[in-house]
Amino acid sequence: MRTLAVIAGKSFRRYVTYRAATLAGLATNLFFGIIRAYLLVAATRYAGGTLAGYTAPQLMAYAAWTQALIGFLLIFGTWDLMLAINSGEITADLCRPISVFRSWQAADLGRAFQGLIFRGIPLLAGYSLFFPLSLPRSVLTWAFFAVSLVLAALLSFAWRFIVNCLAFWTLQNRGLIGMLFTLGMLLMGFIVPLDLFPPWARHLTGWLPFPHMVQMPLQIIMGRVTALPALLSLLAGQAAWLLALWVAAWAAWRAGMRKLVVQGG
């Protein structure tokens, strides 16, 4: 555990040094988030004041929270593991006395909390200058939200790890992986709340892990899930999917190792 904590800390400090990239990402997310918020508000007004149970201020808040989680969850995806597999650099990780999955997960957690602190929180502060963002006052709500966020980060990493493992079987894989990340972005509830989907699509997403990465944590912080049994059920669902994705990631990695061939020295 100490080794993993050191890896996470080193990763956090590494990403803190990229100040220009952090500021650029912050400005970009704020700009496009404002556009998203006003598009959702326009749809709400067209629908007569509410849209799938959301009011205009709630949809503004939804846009703000989803934009704030982009850096934390790497919602747009990442290709680092894919590139390491394609280039053969993954062999350096295989030489270390720690599993590749655990070391990459620890590094991703360090990066995630850097994104939350230096992009997510400032982004919410920036949105509060344009939109009314009502935050819950209950300590219990914040506690459940914090636990849900950590589970969401672990779920997001496991999903990205599995997708990147496709590099073991495909040579030209950036397009395929990009398509999967785009599909995941939609099914997470990032683009619009899943409540806006048709009934059959909402039913389908209920059988998938993606809503537990974005939609479910936002149900807590936006006060749409408040009863203690419902909150515990939500966290249990996230934990169950996390276990399932961990098993799937392990299986994908083990299968990929049997396909790995590295040439050169």
Side-chain angles (χ1 to χ4, degrees), residues 38 56-58 60-62 64 124 127-135:
Y38 278 117
Q58 287 175 328
M60 287 180 177
Y62 192 93
L124 289 174
Y127 272 111
S128 66
L129 301 176
F130 298 92
F131 310 127
L133 291 180
S134 59
L135 300 177

Side-chain angles (χ1 to χ4, degrees), residues 101-121:
F101 181 83
R102 292 176 68 194
S103 62
W104 279 66
Q105 180 177 256
D108 189 71
L109 279 176
R111 176 215 53 77
F113 281 101
Q114 184 275 339
L116 180 65
I117 295 171
F118 292 96
R119 286 181 61 176
I121 295 175

